[in-house]
Amino acid sequence: MKVYFNLLVLLIVLGACERQGADRQSPPPQGEAAPEAMHSEANRTFEQLCQRFINDLWNLFPSWAISEGYYDVAEKLQVPDKGYRQHLMEFAQSYQYKFAALDKNQLSINSRSNLALIENFLRRLQWQYTDFMAYQWDPSLYNVSDAFALILNTNYAPLSQRLHTFSARMGQVPEYYQAAKAAISRPAAPQLELAIQQSRGSLEVFGEELEKTVKASQMPADAKKLFLQRLHDSRSAIQGYIDFLQNLQKKLTKSGNFHDFRIGEKLYEEKFQFDINIGMSAAKLYQRAIIEKQLTHDKMTRLADQLWPKYFPSNSPPRESLEKIRKLLNKLSQHHASKETFKKKVEQQIPELAAFVSEKNLLTLDKEKPLVVRTTPAYMQGFAVASINAPGPYHKNADTYYNVMPIETYSDQRAESLLREYNDYILQILNIHEAIPGHYTQLVYANQSPSILKAILGNTAMIEGWAVYAERMMLDAGYGNFSPELWLMYYKWNLRTITNTILDYEVQVKGIDQAQAMKLMVEDAFQQQAEAEGKWRRATLSQVQLTSYFAGFSDILALREELKKAMGNNFNLKGFHEMFLSYGSAPIPMIRQLMLADLAKQDNKFQ
């Protein structure tokens, strides 16, 4: 999972999401590659308005700016009070009016696609505060740690300068948490629990190591004194927020008056349209997933029939197909890393994946872009086993972090359950998804897109869909030598993608409980207990995001098949991949329009 979930959250997080970033510089121009766009008065007007929009955006969302690598606003920490929320609404309404005044018919197709992204963003931003209002019931949205960690750990400037920026920003932390406490009204229980957990993790960012760094630095004595005072005040503010949340948790547990974490059909469909943007309703995608689940069971049954004599030569297979599949999966799941070697195995597989992609000529990889496997920072834990933190477009060469949960710290029972889930077969597919040619590769390409808007206003279905597509594409290309064992495990993994959509819709709209959700995941999707428990928690913490995997994968696969049919002998897989990724993280229907337009200019050939 790419930590692109944070980009969805940032529209309501009021300054607490993360992607990696770096250079201090003005936002780059919004010019597109198409020559006609650069010579049109309408397009020039649009580009100028886009530039003003982005400048204002970063001043309103300085933490988001930092996550994209834009540090000119890094000293600012917006306080999430009522006045700020009103300012956000005025910003959205003002720019909605300005962009609506443009004549779309005079714009190039590239500019129209950027305009569609902006309009969706502005409508969504207003919806967040008038309808969804998670700022009242999701206290996990209030967390300052991510941007502070980036300032401290990213070498975008000398350490002394970064410490000065860190200090200035800390001056607003107490006010930030006072405003957070004032905004929260009857939170939902899962979000409250996560907020407490991650806020405790936040204290590490402001811990003893930072204090030692400041004392050992060349900062003037008065600046050190001010920094240490602000550090003390920030710790107190975070601890005060934790105490506030814990007291609220006790009170609401006693009364049972938590906000419902289920958002219901109306809000779910609205959020789905804003976030997924694939031209169908959430209900229709849910029905498609139900059908796909049965088709996947059928494929697994055929593989199980093939493999049964190899692994159980003396036993007759069970009559019930799901039980037969389960027994084979359990047998294969015994092959896994230890909890001490899990992270090392992840690291070892990355170069193997890169070599395969190059050997099969599937995609051009940039070997100069760093990928660092690390333990998930404490303030980010509690959501997913693995994730990616990618650099923003303002500093494309900064490290990309592959976050791996600290399984070595888990109890033996919990670790064994997770390790059986992420066994030697599944781990390879996980690394394809998260790293190469999945999230890591896609985000390197996104940062090269001539449209920065398609990088910063990215679509989650495209991002997660590409990672899921990459899994299937690699196996189709012969990764794993067409091993039936790997394919059986792939279908189990892909079944998780399908089940994510079913689970999310049934939890948020149909209101199933934990027991029903566990049955769906453990019995129908063959998931280990620990994985299913973690996914249940995630389904209570987020909405719609879990549908992005299946939605995006289905659309990308359909687009590839459409172009193969239309282009005939002119189609080649590498050309498709590189052209598809060149448009940044735009919604897939938008990429389809852009690809068709560009292919028409290129005589229906990839270049």
Side-chain angles (χ1 to χ4, degrees), residues 1 60 173 182 211 214 224 272 289-290 293-294 323 351 406 410 412 502 505 537:
M1 172 192 130
L60 277 171
V173 168
E211 193 169 334
V214 172
K224 281 186 183 181
F272 183 86
I290 295 289
K293 184 179 82 165
Q294 183 57 54
E323 182 60 24
Y410 294 179
D412 289 345
I502 300 170
Y505 192 85
R537 187 184 190 209

Side-chain angles (χ1 to χ4, degrees), residues 45-289:
T45 300
F46 174 71
E47 302 298 342
Q48 291 167 0
L49 185 56
C50 284
Q51 190 65 67
R52 293 198 296 273
F53 166 76
I54 289 182
N55 288 339
D56 289 344
L57 187 72
W58 292 153
N59 279 292
L60 277 171
F61 293 99
S63 292
W64 181 9
I66 291 169
S67 75
E68 300 293 349
Y70 181 65
Y71 283 83
D72 282 1
V73 293
E75 290 188 4
K76 298 173 63 176
L77 174 63
Q78 289 292 351
V79 175
D81 56 17
K82 185 176 180 180
Y84 178 55
R85 292 192 291 273
Q86 182 60 37
H87 195 183
L88 289 176
M89 291 294 290
E90 292 169 356
F91 161 82
Q93 292 164 0
S94 172
Y95 271 104
Q96 190 173 39
Y97 173 80
K98 292 174 183 176
F99 282 108
L102 299 174
D103 184 353
K104 295 182 183 179
N105 294 326
Q106 298 298 315
L107 298 176
S108 70
I109 187 171
N110 285 302
S111 291
R112 289 199 302 273
S113 66
N114 279 342
L115 177 58
L117 288 174
I118 293 170
E119 288 176 334
N120 184 70
F121 171 86
L122 294 172
R123 288 194 300 269
R124 189 186 194 280
L125 183 58
Q126 294 173 76
W127 174 82
Q128 292 283 5
Y129 289 97
T130 58
D131 294 76
F132 199 58
M133 297 193 292
Y135 72 91
Q136 294 181 344
W137 53 266
D138 186 354
S140 70
L141 299 177
Y142 303 99
N143 191 323
V144 299
S145 301
D146 295 354
F148 276 104
L150 282 173
I151 292 169
L152 187 62
N153 298 323
T154 306
N155 293 321
Y156 69 91
L159 178 61
S160 59
Q161 183 179 329
R162 287 183 279 130
L163 290 175
H164 171 82
T165 299
F166 197 105
S167 180
R169 188 177 175 86
M170 272 198 303
Q172 301 153 88
V173 168
E175 190 179 357
Y176 175 97
Y177 281 108
Q178 281 301 116
K181 288 187 281 188
I184 294 168
S185 173
R186 198 167 69 90
Q191 283 73 10
L192 181 54
E193 181 182 348
L194 180 67
I196 293 170
Q197 176 189 346
Q198 293 190 335
S199 294
R200 287 171 177 156
S202 295
L203 290 170
E204 290 189 9
V205 177
F206 301 88
E208 292 182 4
E209 287 302 313
L210 174 59
E211 193 169 334
K212 291 177 183 177
T213 298
V214 172
K215 289 178 178 178
S217 73
Q218 300 301 313
M219 294 177 71
D222 57 341
K224 281 186 183 181
K225 182 178 179 181
L226 179 60
F227 189 107
L228 294 173
Q229 180 58 54
R230 286 173 171 170
L231 183 60
H232 175 270
D233 293 344
S234 294
R235 290 171 180 164
S236 297
I238 295 170
Q239 186 59 55
Y241 186 58
I242 295 169
D243 294 342
F244 165 78
L245 295 177
Q246 288 176 323
N247 289 333
L248 194 55
Q249 189 179 47
K250 290 177 184 177
K251 177 182 175 182
L252 292 175
T253 299
K254 187 175 181 180
S255 68
N257 194 32
F258 287 102
H259 189 283
D260 192 352
F261 64 82
R262 297 174 174 86
I263 64 174
E265 184 175 10
K266 179 179 180 295
L267 287 175
Y268 191 90
E269 284 287 359
E270 291 170 351
K271 194 171 192 293
F272 183 86
Q273 295 307 318
F274 284 124
D275 293 355
I276 304 302
N277 196 357
I278 59 168
M280 73 169 61
S281 68
K284 186 173 181 180
L285 183 71
Y286 167 72
Q287 291 299 330
R288 181 186 285 185

